[in-house]
Amino acid sequence: MSDNTSRFVGAYTTLLTPFDASGALDEETLRRLIDFQIDNGVTRLCPNGVTGEAAALTDEEKLSITRICVEQAAGRAMVIPDIGTENLTRTVELAKEAERIGADAVLSFTPYLDPPTDRGLVAYFRLVADAVSIPLMMHNLPGRTTVDLSPEQIAELAGHPNIIGIKEGNQDIVRLRRVLHLVRNADFVVLAGNDFTALPALLLGGHGHISVAANVMPRQSRSIVEAALSGDFVTARDLYLKYAEFYRGAYFATNPIALKRAFALAHFDVGEPRLPLTPLPEDRVGELETIMKECELL
């Protein structure tokens, strides 16, 4: 693996987006969240993803969040925003602006609404990658987009010189094993995109984890990834099992509804999610708090 690609091996957090009481982007709290992550050892930050409520953000807000992350990280962490949209031109423009702002790379999920053909999906990612000089990571999350990059498509795109890796949100471990086999000789990283399958992905040879739960438990998430990557699978397993129930609790409702409440319980207020998401029902808050205490997160 090249030095350029090896920078992308390790632990990531897909960042929450803090909102104030009026529902506007809360810049001060976002800067505090960035410092919290870096101070706790996570040096790869991914704003504007599903956990960041991308669908509820305007393009201007996505770019503002990217700028704030780059400014606040100030070289202490890599900033890799998700710039994917349902429209190729819009995605390319967001990627170019993210590069101009100073992002280290960009993520782009598969297009949706108009189900792409196999060749169209490959062409889409190639064109986004060709539009910028910073690396592109693909983001496969069929549970949200209903579009699933096949192992063969991933392997084909891994040959593009500017496509550095994939955030794999498909939870099929047999399929993931096939992806890892097909890209084994490519200069390419395969990152788990789901907390539930992160450890199995790492044990199969994955290169890292872009975590939702790491918002609340950054140091612990990094420890799991680093133990697995170093071959200390017993420690990685034991840590993963210690926090597995919190992974379940974080999905009591559509991500990031429960996660925002969990973060407020453990650290500081990041506001409520934007509509059409709503706050976690109070009858689930007590259960979430119990889980967090059992996992020693409170």
Side-chain angles (χ1 to χ4, degrees):
M1 185 176 292
S2 69
D3 289 343
N4 182 52
T5 303
S6 65
R7 298 184 299 132
F8 297 94
V9 174
Y12 296 66
T13 299
T14 177
L15 284 178
L16 290 163
T17 299
F19 299 122
D20 64 21
S22 72
L25 175 65
D26 186 339
E27 179 174 341
E28 180 179 351
T29 302
L30 175 57
R31 291 183 183 275
R32 187 179 176 190
L33 174 60
I34 293 162
D35 283 342
F36 171 76
Q37 288 290 317
I38 296 170
D39 290 346
N40 281 279
V42 174
T43 57
R44 299 173 187 86
L45 305 176
C46 301
N48 303 336
V50 169
T51 303
E53 299 177 69
L57 298 173
T58 66
D59 289 352
E60 291 74 19
E61 285 175 322
K62 290 178 183 179
L63 295 174
S64 179
I65 290 166
T66 302
R67 174 187 56 78
I68 292 165
C69 287
V70 169
E71 288 178 358
Q72 194 66 22
R76 297 175 296 157
M78 298 171 66
V79 176
I80 306 166
D82 202 321
I83 47 78
T85 77
E86 78 291 353
N87 178 276
L88 176 60
T89 300
R90 184 176 162 211
T91 299
V92 166
E93 287 305 310
L94 283 171
K96 289 179 177 178
E97 284 300 302
E99 179 178 18
R100 183 188 62 77
I101 288 167
D104 296 277
V106 288
L107 271 157
S108 179
F109 51 72
T110 53
Y112 54 94
L113 293 182
D114 292 327
T117 63
D118 288 348
R119 300 317 307 162
L121 192 54
V122 170
Y124 181 96
F125 280 112
R126 283 178 170 162
L127 285 169
V128 177
D130 287 342
V132 290
S133 59
I134 55 175
L136 169 69
M137 281 190 189
M138 300 176 291
H139 184 183
N140 192 40
L141 67 167
R144 292 276 188 148
T145 66
T146 73
V147 177
D148 196 5
L149 274 164
S150 71
E152 292 73 23
Q153 287 173 315
I154 294 168
E156 180 178 353
L157 287 161
H160 190 290
N162 204 37
I163 298 180
I164 204 79
I166 186 166
K167 176 183 178 182
E168 180 55 88
N170 188 310
Q171 298 184 53
D172 184 339
I173 295 301
V174 175
R175 179 188 180 283
L176 178 61
R177 198 278 319 162
R178 172 71 173 160
V179 171
L180 287 162
H181 173 74
L182 291 176
V183 302
R184 66 193 183 281
N185 296 320
D187 193 25
F188 187 81
V189 295
V190 178
L191 305 170
N194 185 285
D195 290 317
F196 297 108
T197 55
L199 182 61
L202 289 164
L203 297 183
L204 287 170
H207 304 100
H209 177 204
I210 301 180
S211 175
V212 171
N215 281 276
V216 174
M217 41 175 279
R219 190 170 299 279
Q220 299 93 326
S221 294
R222 177 176 173 172
S223 294
I224 293 168
V225 172
E226 291 184 343
L229 291 176
S230 70
D232 186 356
F233 299 133
V234 172
T235 296
R237 179 202 63 197
D238 290 348
L239 286 171
Y240 176 84
L241 291 175
K242 178 177 180 178
Y243 301 111
E245 275 299 291
F246 176 63
Y247 302 152
R248 183 179 69 88
Y251 285 87
F252 276 170
T254 304
N255 181 34
I257 289 173
L259 187 72
K260 281 196 158 181
R261 178 55 71 94
F263 192 92
L265 288 169
H267 304 297
F268 50 87
D269 185 28
V270 289
E272 300 293 358
R274 277 183 176 171
L275 289 171
L277 304 185
T278 54
L280 184 67
E282 287 302 317
D283 62 357
R284 301 305 304 270
V285 174
E287 185 180 357
L288 178 62
E289 189 170 359
T290 297
I291 288 171
M292 293 178 70
K293 288 177 179 177
E294 291 174 348
C295 293
E296 299 179 2
L297 295 172
L298 288 180

